[in-house]
Amino acid sequence: MKIKTSAKRVVKTSAMKRKLNTQLKKQVRVKNTTSGTVRSTGVLKKNPSTTFAHTEVMNRRSSPITATVMVFNWDTNSPVRIGNNTVTIPANSLRFFNTNLAGVNDHYEVVVILSATSNVIVNHFGVAGDVPQDGNIVLDRDLISITL
């Protein structure tokens, strides 16, 4: 069975981007990051059946990495953080993160901050139970690099 990636993104204004970047810097205490270490799903239109934001980070490197996965509710047109997890991912291993989307009616975003990006794969699935939901799947190749 082939899963379609039909993530619908809402365009952010420059003011919204500045506000998000300021909030991200404060929350993860990041002053500057190198290109490619902060990746975003963009704002997703939540499938009505989606109950959890499920994000997987696979480290194929020969050394550990640090990953921070944050989830934002965009229903008020401003980001409200509803999930924030930071873990060390050992070499050649997978970690996943689940954030309950019960308070999200329409729009959410997942932001992943990685200490390294080569040989690291990130995929996001909005799920109901263990079933990925149409429109809430963003694979590694579809993530957007953002700068803090």
mmCIF file of all heavy atoms in Angstrom, residues 43-95:
data_model
loop_
_atom_site.group_PDB
_atom_site.id
_atom_site.type_symbol
_atom_site.label_atom_id
_atom_site.label_comp_id
_atom_site.label_asym_id
_atom_site.label_seq_id
_atom_site.Cartn_x
_atom_site.Cartn_y
_atom_site.Cartn_z
ATOM 1 N N VAL A 43 2.789 24.786 8.197
ATOM 2 C CA VAL A 43 1.505 24.674 8.884
ATOM 3 C C VAL A 43 0.637 23.683 8.113
ATOM 4 O O VAL A 43 0.452 23.816 6.907
ATOM 5 C CB VAL A 43 0.816 26.046 9.006
ATOM 6 C CG1 VAL A 43 -0.542 25.908 9.657
ATOM 7 C CG2 VAL A 43 1.693 27.003 9.804
ATOM 8 N N LEU A 44 0.134 22.684 8.823
ATOM 9 C CA LEU A 44 -0.681 21.639 8.210
ATOM 10 C C LEU A 44 -2.150 21.840 8.550
ATOM 11 O O LEU A 44 -2.490 22.197 9.678
ATOM 12 C CB LEU A 44 -0.252 20.258 8.718
ATOM 13 C CG LEU A 44 1.201 19.862 8.462
ATOM 14 C CD1 LEU A 44 1.510 18.555 9.175
ATOM 15 C CD2 LEU A 44 1.454 19.744 6.977
ATOM 16 N N LYS A 45 -3.020 21.608 7.592
ATOM 17 C CA LYS A 45 -4.465 21.569 7.829
ATOM 18 C C LYS A 45 -4.760 20.202 8.430
ATOM 19 O O LYS A 45 -4.564 19.181 7.796
ATOM 20 C CB LYS A 45 -5.219 21.778 6.516
ATOM 21 C CG LYS A 45 -6.715 21.593 6.622
ATOM 22 C CD LYS A 45 -7.358 22.727 7.361
ATOM 23 C CE LYS A 45 -8.883 22.595 7.241
ATOM 24 N NZ LYS A 45 -9.555 22.966 8.449
ATOM 25 N N LYS A 46 -5.210 20.183 9.672
ATOM 26 C CA LYS A 46 -5.409 18.930 10.393
ATOM 27 C C LYS A 46 -6.606 18.157 9.836
ATOM 28 O O LYS A 46 -7.697 18.688 9.715
ATOM 29 C CB LYS A 46 -5.632 19.220 11.879
ATOM 30 C CG LYS A 46 -5.839 17.998 12.721
ATOM 31 C CD LYS A 46 -6.069 18.390 14.185
ATOM 32 C CE LYS A 46 -6.598 17.202 14.931
ATOM 33 N NZ LYS A 46 -7.946 17.437 15.423
ATOM 34 N N ASN A 47 -6.350 16.905 9.495
ATOM 35 C CA ASN A 47 -7.436 16.000 9.122
ATOM 36 C C ASN A 47 -8.326 15.846 10.360
ATOM 37 O O ASN A 47 -7.815 15.650 11.461
ATOM 38 C CB ASN A 47 -6.845 14.648 8.704
ATOM 39 C CG ASN A 47 -7.887 13.663 8.250
ATOM 40 O OD1 ASN A 47 -8.891 13.432 8.912
ATOM 41 N ND2 ASN A 47 -7.629 13.037 7.122
ATOM 42 N N PRO A 48 -9.660 15.924 10.229
ATOM 43 C CA PRO A 48 -10.538 15.828 11.399
ATOM 44 C C PRO A 48 -10.337 14.548 12.225
ATOM 45 O O PRO A 48 -10.576 14.544 13.426
ATOM 46 C CB PRO A 48 -11.946 15.864 10.803
ATOM 47 C CG PRO A 48 -11.785 16.512 9.480
ATOM 48 C CD PRO A 48 -10.408 16.146 8.997
ATOM 49 N N SER A 49 -9.852 13.477 11.598
ATOM 50 C CA SER A 49 -9.645 12.220 12.320
ATOM 51 C C SER A 49 -8.320 12.166 13.076
ATOM 52 O O SER A 49 -8.118 11.314 13.933
ATOM 53 C CB SER A 49 -9.696 11.045 11.339
ATOM 54 O OG SER A 49 -10.937 11.005 10.692
ATOM 55 N N THR A 50 -7.392 13.056 12.757
ATOM 56 C CA THR A 50 -6.058 13.014 13.352
ATOM 57 C C THR A 50 -6.121 13.318 14.846
ATOM 58 O O THR A 50 -6.688 14.328 15.251
ATOM 59 C CB THR A 50 -5.115 14.014 12.652
ATOM 60 O OG1 THR A 50 -5.039 13.649 11.273
ATOM 61 C CG2 THR A 50 -3.735 14.015 13.254
ATOM 62 N N THR A 51 -5.518 12.438 15.654
ATOM 63 C CA THR A 51 -5.507 12.614 17.107
ATOM 64 C C THR A 51 -4.121 12.877 17.679
ATOM 65 O O THR A 51 -3.990 13.477 18.730
ATOM 66 C CB THR A 51 -6.117 11.385 17.813
ATOM 67 O OG1 THR A 51 -5.418 10.218 17.389
ATOM 68 C CG2 THR A 51 -7.589 11.256 17.497
ATOM 69 N N PHE A 52 -3.079 12.401 16.982
ATOM 70 C CA PHE A 52 -1.713 12.578 17.457
ATOM 71 C C PHE A 52 -0.791 13.020 16.329
ATOM 72 O O PHE A 52 -0.940 12.582 15.195
ATOM 73 C CB PHE A 52 -1.149 11.271 18.045
ATOM 74 C CG PHE A 52 -1.648 10.972 19.422
ATOM 75 C CD1 PHE A 52 -2.796 10.220 19.600
ATOM 76 C CD2 PHE A 52 -0.975 11.449 20.541
ATOM 77 C CE1 PHE A 52 -3.268 9.945 20.866
ATOM 78 C CE2 PHE A 52 -1.442 11.173 21.816
ATOM 79 C CZ PHE A 52 -2.593 10.424 21.982
ATOM 80 N N ALA A 53 0.192 13.877 16.678
ATOM 81 C CA ALA A 53 1.298 14.197 15.791
ATOM 82 C C ALA A 53 2.388 13.189 16.127
ATOM 83 O O ALA A 53 2.901 13.173 17.249
ATOM 84 C CB ALA A 53 1.779 15.625 16.037
ATOM 85 N N HIS A 54 2.708 12.313 15.186
ATOM 86 C CA HIS A 54 3.701 11.251 15.386
ATOM 87 C C HIS A 54 4.899 11.568 14.503
ATOM 88 O O HIS A 54 4.802 11.544 13.274
ATOM 89 C CB HIS A 54 3.087 9.895 15.009
ATOM 90 C CG HIS A 54 4.051 8.753 15.084
ATOM 91 N ND1 HIS A 54 4.305 8.085 16.259
ATOM 92 C CD2 HIS A 54 4.827 8.181 14.141
ATOM 93 C CE1 HIS A 54 5.189 7.125 16.022
ATOM 94 N NE2 HIS A 54 5.533 7.170 14.737
ATOM 95 N N THR A 55 6.048 11.874 15.132
ATOM 96 C CA THR A 55 7.251 12.243 14.401
ATOM 97 C C THR A 55 8.345 11.232 14.692
ATOM 98 O O THR A 55 8.580 10.889 15.851
ATOM 99 C CB THR A 55 7.712 13.658 14.796
ATOM 100 O OG1 THR A 55 6.626 14.563 14.587
ATOM 101 C CG2 THR A 55 8.901 14.108 13.956
ATOM 102 N N GLU A 56 8.984 10.743 13.643
ATOM 103 C CA GLU A 56 10.044 9.743 13.774
ATOM 104 C C GLU A 56 11.368 10.347 13.326
ATOM 105 O O GLU A 56 11.440 10.980 12.278
ATOM 106 C CB GLU A 56 9.724 8.522 12.921
ATOM 107 C CG GLU A 56 8.416 7.861 13.316
ATOM 108 C CD GLU A 56 8.024 6.704 12.419
ATOM 109 O OE1 GLU A 56 8.577 6.580 11.301
ATOM 110 O OE2 GLU A 56 7.151 5.930 12.843
ATOM 111 N N VAL A 57 12.416 10.132 14.136
ATOM 112 C CA VAL A 57 13.761 10.595 13.796
ATOM 113 C C VAL A 57 14.675 9.376 13.799
ATOM 114 O O VAL A 57 14.823 8.707 14.826
ATOM 115 C CB VAL A 57 14.277 11.656 14.793
ATOM 116 C CG1 VAL A 57 15.669 12.130 14.395
ATOM 117 C CG2 VAL A 57 13.314 12.832 14.887
ATOM 118 N N MET A 58 15.250 9.085 12.622
ATOM 119 C CA MET A 58 16.150 7.945 12.485
ATOM 120 C C MET A 58 17.575 8.459 12.309
ATOM 121 O O MET A 58 17.851 9.261 11.412
ATOM 122 C CB MET A 58 15.768 7.087 11.277
ATOM 123 C CG MET A 58 16.681 5.889 11.100
ATOM 124 S SD MET A 58 16.194 4.782 9.759
ATOM 125 C CE MET A 58 16.152 5.863 8.356
ATOM 126 N N ASN A 59 18.465 8.001 13.188
ATOM 127 C CA ASN A 59 19.865 8.396 13.147
ATOM 128 C C ASN A 59 20.680 7.263 12.533
ATOM 129 O O ASN A 59 20.925 6.251 13.169
ATOM 130 C CB ASN A 59 20.371 8.704 14.562
ATOM 131 C CG ASN A 59 21.836 9.081 14.577
ATOM 132 O OD1 ASN A 59 22.429 9.345 13.533
ATOM 133 N ND2 ASN A 59 22.416 9.105 15.760
ATOM 134 N N ARG A 60 21.101 7.431 11.290
ATOM 135 C CA ARG A 60 21.924 6.435 10.588
ATOM 136 C C ARG A 60 23.412 6.738 10.737
ATOM 137 O O ARG A 60 24.237 6.071 10.143
ATOM 138 C CB ARG A 60 21.578 6.423 9.098
ATOM 139 C CG ARG A 60 20.243 5.858 8.778
ATOM 140 C CD ARG A 60 20.387 4.395 8.678
ATOM 141 N NE ARG A 60 19.175 3.794 8.137
ATOM 142 C CZ ARG A 60 19.092 2.528 7.907
ATOM 143 N NH1 ARG A 60 20.108 1.747 8.125
ATOM 144 N NH2 ARG A 60 17.985 2.024 7.450
ATOM 145 N N ARG A 61 23.740 7.739 11.540
ATOM 146 C CA ARG A 61 25.125 8.132 11.735
ATOM 147 C C ARG A 61 25.851 7.129 12.629
ATOM 148 O O ARG A 61 25.225 6.317 13.302
ATOM 149 C CB ARG A 61 25.192 9.519 12.372
ATOM 150 C CG ARG A 61 24.557 10.604 11.513
ATOM 151 C CD ARG A 61 24.418 11.895 12.287
ATOM 152 N NE ARG A 61 25.693 12.413 12.740
ATOM 153 C CZ ARG A 61 26.486 13.207 12.031
ATOM 154 N NH1 ARG A 61 26.130 13.570 10.818
ATOM 155 N NH2 ARG A 61 27.608 13.640 12.525
ATOM 156 N N SER A 62 27.163 7.248 12.700
ATOM 157 C CA SER A 62 27.956 6.383 13.591
ATOM 158 C C SER A 62 28.152 7.030 14.959
ATOM 159 O O SER A 62 28.839 6.482 15.808
ATOM 160 C CB SER A 62 29.313 6.083 12.951
ATOM 161 O OG SER A 62 30.002 7.295 12.717
ATOM 162 N N SER A 63 27.530 8.190 15.173
ATOM 163 C CA SER A 63 27.609 8.880 16.458
ATOM 164 C C SER A 63 26.224 9.385 16.856
ATOM 165 O O SER A 63 25.349 9.556 16.006
ATOM 166 C CB SER A 63 28.594 10.045 16.366
ATOM 167 O OG SER A 63 28.183 10.940 15.363
ATOM 168 N N PRO A 64 26.005 9.638 18.154
ATOM 169 C CA PRO A 64 24.692 10.102 18.599
ATOM 170 C C PRO A 64 24.404 11.537 18.143
ATOM 171 O O PRO A 64 25.320 12.298 17.842
ATOM 172 C CB PRO A 64 24.771 10.018 20.119
ATOM 173 C CG PRO A 64 26.210 9.966 20.454
ATOM 174 C CD PRO A 64 26.936 9.445 19.250
ATOM 175 N N ILE A 65 23.123 11.881 18.103
ATOM 176 C CA ILE A 65 22.680 13.243 17.798
ATOM 177 C C ILE A 65 21.679 13.659 18.866
ATOM 178 O O ILE A 65 21.146 12.826 19.599
ATOM 179 C CB ILE A 65 22.017 13.359 16.409
ATOM 180 C CG1 ILE A 65 20.739 12.504 16.345
ATOM 181 C CG2 ILE A 65 22.982 13.009 15.303
ATOM 182 C CD1 ILE A 65 19.817 12.871 15.204
ATOM 183 N N THR A 66 21.409 14.948 18.922
ATOM 184 C CA THR A 66 20.357 15.471 19.786
ATOM 185 C C THR A 66 19.226 15.958 18.889
ATOM 186 O O THR A 66 19.482 16.628 17.882
ATOM 187 C CB THR A 66 20.880 16.639 20.652
ATOM 188 O OG1 THR A 66 21.958 16.161 21.442
ATOM 189 C CG2 THR A 66 19.788 17.178 21.558
ATOM 190 N N ALA A 67 18.003 15.609 19.254
ATOM 191 C CA ALA A 67 16.838 16.050 18.490
ATOM 192 C C ALA A 67 15.826 16.690 19.433
ATOM 193 O O ALA A 67 15.537 16.152 20.505
ATOM 194 C CB ALA A 67 16.192 14.876 17.768
ATOM 195 N N THR A 68 15.302 17.834 19.016
ATOM 196 C CA THR A 68 14.206 18.490 19.724
ATOM 197 C C THR A 68 13.028 18.526 18.766
ATOM 198 O O THR A 68 13.164 18.996 17.634
ATOM 199 C CB THR A 68 14.583 19.928 20.141
ATOM 200 O OG1 THR A 68 15.692 19.870 21.035
ATOM 201 C CG2 THR A 68 13.410 20.623 20.825
ATOM 202 N N VAL A 69 11.886 18.011 19.214
ATOM 203 C CA VAL A 69 10.672 18.017 18.399
ATOM 204 C C VAL A 69 9.636 18.874 19.119
ATOM 205 O O VAL A 69 9.280 18.593 20.266
ATOM 206 C CB VAL A 69 10.141 16.585 18.169
ATOM 207 C CG1 VAL A 69 8.832 16.627 17.391
ATOM 208 C CG2 VAL A 69 11.180 15.745 17.430
ATOM 209 N N MET A 70 9.200 19.927 18.428
ATOM 210 C CA MET A 70 8.191 20.821 18.992
ATOM 211 C C MET A 70 6.961 20.814 18.089
ATOM 212 O O MET A 70 7.088 20.766 16.869
ATOM 213 C CB MET A 70 8.741 22.237 19.120
ATOM 214 C CG MET A 70 9.884 22.326 20.111
ATOM 215 S SD MET A 70 10.471 24.003 20.401
ATOM 216 C CE MET A 70 11.188 24.386 18.825
ATOM 217 N N VAL A 71 5.795 20.889 18.714
ATOM 218 C CA VAL A 71 4.538 20.937 17.971
ATOM 219 C C VAL A 71 3.823 22.227 18.370
ATOM 220 O O VAL A 71 3.753 22.572 19.560
ATOM 221 C CB VAL A 71 3.658 19.707 18.274
ATOM 222 C CG1 VAL A 71 2.343 19.780 17.496
ATOM 223 C CG2 VAL A 71 4.409 18.422 17.946
ATOM 224 N N PHE A 72 3.311 22.933 17.364
ATOM 225 C CA PHE A 72 2.632 24.202 17.583
ATOM 226 C C PHE A 72 1.201 24.145 17.071
ATOM 227 O O PHE A 72 0.949 23.621 15.985
ATOM 228 C CB PHE A 72 3.379 25.339 16.863
ATOM 229 C CG PHE A 72 4.730 25.615 17.433
ATOM 230 C CD1 PHE A 72 5.843 24.934 16.954
ATOM 231 C CD2 PHE A 72 4.886 26.526 18.454
ATOM 232 C CE1 PHE A 72 7.091 25.174 17.483
ATOM 233 C CE2 PHE A 72 6.142 26.766 18.994
ATOM 234 C CZ PHE A 72 7.242 26.091 18.512
ATOM 235 N N ASN A 73 0.289 24.716 17.836
ATOM 236 C CA ASN A 73 -1.101 24.891 17.426
ATOM 237 C C ASN A 73 -1.185 26.264 16.763
ATOM 238 O O ASN A 73 -0.822 27.273 17.361
ATOM 239 C CB ASN A 73 -2.006 24.822 18.666
ATOM 240 C CG ASN A 73 -3.473 24.989 18.338
ATOM 241 O OD1 ASN A 73 -3.843 25.483 17.272
ATOM 242 N ND2 ASN A 73 -4.318 24.594 19.264
ATOM 243 N N TRP A 74 -1.676 26.308 15.518
ATOM 244 C CA TRP A 74 -1.790 27.556 14.765
ATOM 245 C C TRP A 74 -3.243 28.003 14.600
ATOM 246 O O TRP A 74 -3.555 28.833 13.743
ATOM 247 C CB TRP A 74 -1.151 27.396 13.389
ATOM 248 C CG TRP A 74 0.340 27.545 13.395
ATOM 249 C CD1 TRP A 74 1.278 26.574 13.552
ATOM 250 C CD2 TRP A 74 1.069 28.762 13.230
ATOM 251 N NE1 TRP A 74 2.536 27.094 13.493
ATOM 252 C CE2 TRP A 74 2.439 28.446 13.289
ATOM 253 C CE3 TRP A 74 0.691 30.085 13.033
ATOM 254 C CZ2 TRP A 74 3.428 29.406 13.168
ATOM 255 C CZ3 TRP A 74 1.690 31.041 12.895
ATOM 256 C CH2 TRP A 74 3.037 30.702 12.975
ATOM 257 N N ASP A 75 -4.161 27.479 15.410
ATOM 258 C CA ASP A 75 -5.573 27.831 15.249
ATOM 259 C C ASP A 75 -5.864 29.313 15.441
ATOM 260 O O ASP A 75 -6.813 29.840 14.870
ATOM 261 C CB ASP A 75 -6.447 27.026 16.216
ATOM 262 C CG ASP A 75 -6.642 25.585 15.769
ATOM 263 O OD1 ASP A 75 -6.311 25.266 14.604
ATOM 264 O OD2 ASP A 75 -7.119 24.772 16.581
ATOM 265 N N THR A 76 -5.074 30.011 16.252
ATOM 266 C CA THR A 76 -5.310 31.436 16.505
ATOM 267 C C THR A 76 -4.476 32.321 15.581
ATOM 268 O O THR A 76 -4.384 33.527 15.806
ATOM 269 C CB THR A 76 -4.965 31.785 17.966
ATOM 270 O OG1 THR A 76 -3.577 31.523 18.184
ATOM 271 C CG2 THR A 76 -5.824 30.996 18.942
ATOM 272 N N ASN A 77 -3.856 31.736 14.560
ATOM 273 C CA ASN A 77 -2.980 32.440 13.616
ATOM 274 C C ASN A 77 -1.673 32.898 14.243
ATOM 275 O O ASN A 77 -0.932 33.667 13.636
ATOM 276 C CB ASN A 77 -3.698 33.624 12.949
ATOM 277 C CG ASN A 77 -4.825 33.154 12.080
ATOM 278 O OD1 ASN A 77 -4.726 32.129 11.420
ATOM 279 N ND2 ASN A 77 -5.928 33.882 12.087
ATOM 280 N N SER A 78 -1.392 32.450 15.452
ATOM 281 C CA SER A 78 -0.116 32.662 16.122
ATOM 282 C C SER A 78 0.275 31.336 16.734
ATOM 283 O O SER A 78 -0.580 30.587 17.212
ATOM 284 C CB SER A 78 -0.237 33.711 17.231
ATOM 285 O OG SER A 78 -0.498 34.976 16.672
ATOM 286 N N PRO A 79 1.569 31.012 16.774
ATOM 287 C CA PRO A 79 1.972 29.703 17.291
ATOM 288 C C PRO A 79 1.813 29.583 18.802
ATOM 289 O O PRO A 79 2.204 30.472 19.546
ATOM 290 C CB PRO A 79 3.443 29.627 16.898
ATOM 291 C CG PRO A 79 3.897 31.041 16.812
ATOM 292 C CD PRO A 79 2.710 31.818 16.331
ATOM 293 N N VAL A 80 1.211 28.479 19.222
ATOM 294 C CA VAL A 80 1.108 28.142 20.641
ATOM 295 C C VAL A 80 1.725 26.756 20.792
ATOM 296 O O VAL A 80 1.243 25.787 20.197
ATOM 297 C CB VAL A 80 -0.372 28.123 21.112
ATOM 298 C CG1 VAL A 80 -0.458 27.668 22.560
ATOM 299 C CG2 VAL A 80 -1.020 29.486 20.909
ATOM 300 N N ARG A 81 2.795 26.673 21.569
ATOM 301 C CA ARG A 81 3.494 25.395 21.729
ATOM 302 C C ARG A 81 2.649 24.432 22.550
ATOM 303 O O ARG A 81 2.174 24.749 23.625
ATOM 304 C CB ARG A 81 4.845 25.602 22.404
ATOM 305 C CG ARG A 81 5.674 24.329 22.487
ATOM 306 C CD ARG A 81 7.031 24.575 23.098
ATOM 307 N NE ARG A 81 6.992 25.294 24.336
ATOM 308 C CZ ARG A 81 6.848 24.715 25.532
ATOM 309 N NH1 ARG A 81 6.742 23.423 25.642
ATOM 310 N NH2 ARG A 81 6.828 25.454 26.617
ATOM 311 N N ILE A 82 2.449 23.221 21.991
ATOM 312 C CA ILE A 82 1.690 22.189 22.708
ATOM 313 C C ILE A 82 2.533 20.945 22.958
ATOM 314 O O ILE A 82 2.085 20.023 23.639
ATOM 315 C CB ILE A 82 0.389 21.816 21.968
ATOM 316 C CG1 ILE A 82 0.690 21.310 20.558
ATOM 317 C CG2 ILE A 82 -0.568 22.999 21.954
ATOM 318 C CD1 ILE A 82 -0.521 20.771 19.817
ATOM 319 N N GLY A 83 3.737 20.913 22.418
ATOM 320 C CA GLY A 83 4.629 19.774 22.638
ATOM 321 C C GLY A 83 6.070 20.195 22.494
ATOM 322 O O GLY A 83 6.390 21.037 21.666
ATOM 323 N N ASN A 84 6.947 19.635 23.359
ATOM 324 C CA ASN A 84 8.364 19.959 23.304
ATOM 325 C C ASN A 84 9.138 18.818 23.945
ATOM 326 O O ASN A 84 9.011 18.583 25.138
ATOM 327 C CB ASN A 84 8.627 21.271 24.046
ATOM 328 C CG ASN A 84 10.060 21.739 23.898
ATOM 329 O OD1 ASN A 84 10.777 21.302 23.013
ATOM 330 N ND2 ASN A 84 10.473 22.641 24.771
ATOM 331 N N ASN A 85 9.900 18.069 23.146
ATOM 332 C CA ASN A 85 10.697 16.951 23.644
ATOM 333 C C ASN A 85 12.099 17.035 23.078
ATOM 334 O O ASN A 85 12.270 17.241 21.877
ATOM 335 C CB ASN A 85 10.089 15.607 23.203
ATOM 336 C CG ASN A 85 8.755 15.369 23.849
ATOM 337 O OD1 ASN A 85 8.669 15.233 25.046
ATOM 338 N ND2 ASN A 85 7.697 15.334 23.050
ATOM 339 N N THR A 86 13.094 16.853 23.940
ATOM 340 C CA THR A 86 14.492 16.805 23.509
ATOM 341 C C THR A 86 15.096 15.503 24.003
ATOM 342 O O THR A 86 14.970 15.175 25.180
ATOM 343 C CB THR A 86 15.286 17.998 24.065
ATOM 344 O OG1 THR A 86 14.687 19.206 23.610
ATOM 345 C CG2 THR A 86 16.734 17.955 23.604
ATOM 346 N N VAL A 87 15.725 14.764 23.089
ATOM 347 C CA VAL A 87 16.379 13.505 23.457
ATOM 348 C C VAL A 87 17.680 13.351 22.686
ATOM 349 O O VAL A 87 17.873 13.960 21.642
ATOM 350 C CB VAL A 87 15.490 12.261 23.173
ATOM 351 C CG1 VAL A 87 14.207 12.303 23.957
ATOM 352 C CG2 VAL A 87 15.219 12.100 21.702
ATOM 353 N N THR A 88 18.545 12.509 23.241
ATOM 354 C CA THR A 88 19.735 12.085 22.514
ATOM 355 C C THR A 88 19.390 10.781 21.820
ATOM 356 O O THR A 88 18.842 9.864 22.447
ATOM 357 C CB THR A 88 20.918 11.881 23.481
ATOM 358 O OG1 THR A 88 21.206 13.144 24.095
ATOM 359 C CG2 THR A 88 22.152 11.389 22.738
ATOM 360 N N ILE A 89 19.694 10.713 20.538
ATOM 361 C CA ILE A 89 19.403 9.511 19.753
ATOM 362 C C ILE A 89 20.725 8.823 19.450
ATOM 363 O O ILE A 89 21.577 9.387 18.766
ATOM 364 C CB ILE A 89 18.646 9.854 18.452
ATOM 365 C CG1 ILE A 89 17.354 10.610 18.799
ATOM 366 C CG2 ILE A 89 18.359 8.590 17.651
ATOM 367 C CD1 ILE A 89 16.601 11.132 17.606
ATOM 368 N N PRO A 90 20.920 7.618 19.987
ATOM 369 C CA PRO A 90 22.177 6.910 19.750
ATOM 370 C C PRO A 90 22.391 6.616 18.256
ATOM 371 O O PRO A 90 21.464 6.676 17.455
ATOM 372 C CB PRO A 90 22.003 5.598 20.520
ATOM 373 C CG PRO A 90 20.900 5.860 21.492
ATOM 374 C CD PRO A 90 20.011 6.876 20.834
ATOM 375 N N ALA A 91 23.621 6.268 17.923
ATOM 376 C CA ALA A 91 23.961 5.896 16.548
ATOM 377 C C ALA A 91 23.099 4.728 16.096
ATOM 378 O O ALA A 91 22.746 3.855 16.883
ATOM 379 C CB ALA A 91 25.437 5.517 16.466
ATOM 380 N N ASN A 92 22.722 4.747 14.820
ATOM 381 C CA ASN A 92 21.949 3.669 14.202
ATOM 382 C C ASN A 92 20.705 3.282 14.989
ATOM 383 O O ASN A 92 20.476 2.105 15.274
ATOM 384 C CB ASN A 92 22.847 2.442 13.962
ATOM 385 C CG ASN A 92 23.913 2.760 12.955
ATOM 386 O OD1 ASN A 92 23.617 3.255 11.875
ATOM 387 N ND2 ASN A 92 25.152 2.517 13.320
ATOM 388 N N SER A 93 19.920 4.279 15.337
ATOM 389 C CA SER A 93 18.692 3.983 16.069
ATOM 390 C C SER A 93 17.578 4.958 15.692
ATOM 391 O O SER A 93 17.803 5.966 15.034
ATOM 392 C CB SER A 93 18.940 4.000 17.576
ATOM 393 O OG SER A 93 19.332 5.285 17.984
ATOM 394 N N LEU A 94 16.382 4.622 16.144
ATOM 395 C CA LEU A 94 15.167 5.379 15.838
ATOM 396 C C LEU A 94 14.497 5.804 17.132
ATOM 397 O O LEU A 94 14.438 5.023 18.085
ATOM 398 C CB LEU A 94 14.196 4.489 15.037
ATOM 399 C CG LEU A 94 12.777 5.013 14.823
ATOM 400 C CD1 LEU A 94 12.777 6.142 13.807
ATOM 401 C CD2 LEU A 94 11.865 3.883 14.362
ATOM 402 N N ARG A 95 14.004 7.030 17.158
ATOM 403 C CA ARG A 95 13.174 7.502 18.264
ATOM 404 C C ARG A 95 11.928 8.128 17.653
ATOM 405 O O ARG A 95 11.978 8.711 16.576
ATOM 406 C CB ARG A 95 13.896 8.536 19.123
ATOM 407 C CG ARG A 95 15.083 8.003 19.876
ATOM 408 C CD ARG A 95 14.662 6.976 20.932
ATOM 409 N NE ARG A 95 15.794 6.481 21.689
ATOM 410 C CZ ARG A 95 16.500 5.392 21.391
ATOM 411 N NH1 ARG A 95 16.221 4.694 20.306
ATOM 412 N NH2 ARG A 95 17.495 5.001 22.143
#
